[in-house]
Amino acid sequence: MRREMQEILPGLFLGPYSSAMKSKLPILQKHGITHVICIRQNIEANFIKPNFQQLFRYLVLDIADNPVENIIRFFPMTKEFIDGSLQTGGKVLVHGNAGISRSAALVIAYIMETFGVKYRDAFTYVQERRFCINPNAGFVHQLQEYEAIYLAKLTIQMMSPLQLERSLSVPPGSTGSLKRTHEDEEEFGNMQVAAAQNG
């Protein structure tokens, strides 16, 4: 089970590197895979690699399975790649080494943002289809932080241009305070220059 890929959503598969090895080409073709997200860090590059570049489109991401790794920065490009594949009728396999931590975190983030669900629900949904997933503690924390980020983005997307303009516009009567702040910054800048000259 953990050595094979599982279909998490229609057309979106999650699995270990062993499901993307050269010997597995017939299985990948049987499932109609057209795109592959290959996750590895530099030291794994000799044994985790895109094996079928002439057959599939690849997105290769350099991510360490390390709690301090910033995985959030990869969420937008992953979503764009998966959406692009699914919209053209393709099918995507997301794999790291074991298909447990890094690749699972990316698939969970994709589900959270695509369906507007919380981390807990997305995690449960993916785990019901691939039991062995276990993103490291740092990734879990970032996925929980991501909830607020994509929810804010969704809210902005759903606002009409007028609502957006209102929420971003400066309230009447506050221009004076903005002007003062700018003058204060100039004074502060002059103080820095003076300090630099004295130093």
Side-chain angles (χ1 to χ4, degrees):
M1 178 86 189
R2 71 167 47 200
R3 289 205 179 89
E4 294 162 14
M5 60 183 187
Q6 281 79 38
E7 192 165 17
I8 308 298
L9 289 170
L12 176 60
F13 292 79
L14 170 61
Y17 175 60
S18 58
S19 66
M21 283 161 52
K22 289 195 165 136
S23 61
K24 296 297 194 311
L25 181 59
I27 296 167
L28 293 169
Q29 289 177 320
K30 189 183 94 180
H31 286 290
I33 298 296
T34 53
H35 293 62
V36 178
I37 298 179
C38 172
I39 304 148
R40 64 189 188 186
Q41 65 184 114
N42 286 340
I43 55 168
E44 299 170 307
N46 355 334
F47 65 93
I48 296 180
K49 49 185 180 273
N51 287 319
F52 312 106
Q53 285 182 298
Q54 66 290 1
L55 296 175
F56 306 140
R57 282 200 53 204
Y58 276 86
L59 174 63
V60 179
L61 302 176
D62 179 13
I63 306 173
D65 186 9
N66 182 323
V68 299
E69 177 74 83
N70 173 359
I71 198 168
I72 283 185
R73 65 197 165 112
F74 295 102
F75 294 166
M77 68 179 84
T78 303
K79 181 162 173 27
E80 197 178 307
F81 187 82
I82 295 171
D83 284 343
S85 159
L86 298 178
Q87 281 157 11
T88 56
K91 293 187 177 183
V92 195
L93 165 62
V94 183
H95 76 76
N97 186 358
I100 289 174
S101 182
R102 294 170 289 190
S103 51
L106 291 177
V107 169
I108 290 167
Y110 177 80
I111 287 171
M112 284 169 65
E113 187 167 353
T114 304
F115 300 100
V117 296
K118 291 188 174 344
Y119 163 72
R120 201 66 249 159
D121 299 330
F123 174 86
T124 305
Y125 179 86
V126 175
Q127 194 180 42
E128 283 169 358
R129 284 146 188 83
R130 183 166 172 77
F131 311 125
C132 60
I133 67 161
N134 187 16
N136 73 47
F139 292 172
V140 169
H141 183 68
Q142 290 177 66
L143 284 160
Q144 289 166 332
E145 280 180 3
Y146 194 58
E147 261 177 41
I149 297 169
Y150 79 80
L151 286 173
K153 212 160 73 173
L154 284 176
T155 307
I156 288 172
Q157 284 168 356
M158 290 189 302
M159 281 181 157
S160 70
L162 185 64
Q163 286 173 308
L164 195 56
E165 201 174 291
R166 273 196 208 120
S167 65
L168 294 176
S169 66
V170 178
S174 63
T175 48
S177 62
L178 287 177
K179 189 166 182 267
R180 259 197 313 283
T181 331
H182 186 63
E183 284 166 5
D184 294 344
E185 279 173 22
E186 276 179 15
E187 271 176 42
F188 180 67
N190 294 340
M191 285 191 308
Q192 281 182 316
V193 170
Q197 287 166 347
N198 296 338

